[in-house]
């Protein structure tokens, strides 16, 4: 696998909220949500495509994030919408953790 897109350090694992399991960060002017799913770090776009809501403010459970505005649910690993009213997938990011630092890059 070639590194055609550069990895970007966006946070530390310890920055992710222990209460919500989420963290909102800005990467090149775009909001990204970082998740801690039982120790596995994942990342998606932060803005719900159905409405102007931050997924970092949503409800995280079993690898799914529920939008706080309209209760649409996404699989955070694939970005796939799981129930109405959301129908558009969200952007996911490849994630790696090095020495406690969270690095991301867009999925191809």
């Amino acid at each position: 696998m070639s590194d055609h897109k550069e990895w970007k350090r966006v946070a530390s694992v310890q920055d992710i909220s222990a209460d919500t399991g989420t963290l909102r960060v800005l990467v090149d002017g775009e909001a990204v949500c970082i998740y801690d799913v039982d120790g596995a770090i994942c990342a998606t776009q932060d803005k719900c495509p159905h409405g102007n809501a931050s997924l970092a403010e949503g409800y995280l459970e079993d690898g799914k994030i529920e939008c706080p505005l309209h209760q649409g649910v996404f699989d955070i690993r694939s970005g796939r919408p799981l129930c109405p009213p959301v129908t558009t997938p969200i952007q996911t990011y490849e994630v790696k953790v090095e020495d406690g630092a969270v690095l991301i890059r867009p999925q191809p």
Side-chain angles (χ1 to χ4, degrees), residues 54-72:
S54 169
L55 294 176
E57 296 174 7
Y59 179 68
L60 175 66
E61 183 176 42
D62 298 328
K64 298 180 275 271
I65 188 72
E66 181 180 309
C67 174
L69 188 58
H70 293 112
Q71 289 71 51

Side-chain angles (χ1 to χ4, degrees), residues 45-101:
Q45 73 185 53
D46 182 58
K47 184 179 177 187
C48 178
H50 179 256
N52 191 18
S54 169
L55 294 176
E57 296 174 7
Y59 179 68
L60 175 66
E61 183 176 42
D62 298 328
K64 298 180 275 271
I65 188 72
E66 181 180 309
C67 174
L69 188 58
H70 293 112
Q71 289 71 51
V73 178
F74 298 93
D75 179 306
I76 62 172
R77 290 180 177 93
S78 70
R80 189 171 51 98
L82 299 175
C83 72
V86 294
T87 58
T88 304
I90 54 175
Q91 167 73 48
T92 59
Y93 295 85
E94 205 172 341
V95 177
K96 66 181 177 179
V97 176
E98 292 181 348
D99 298 323

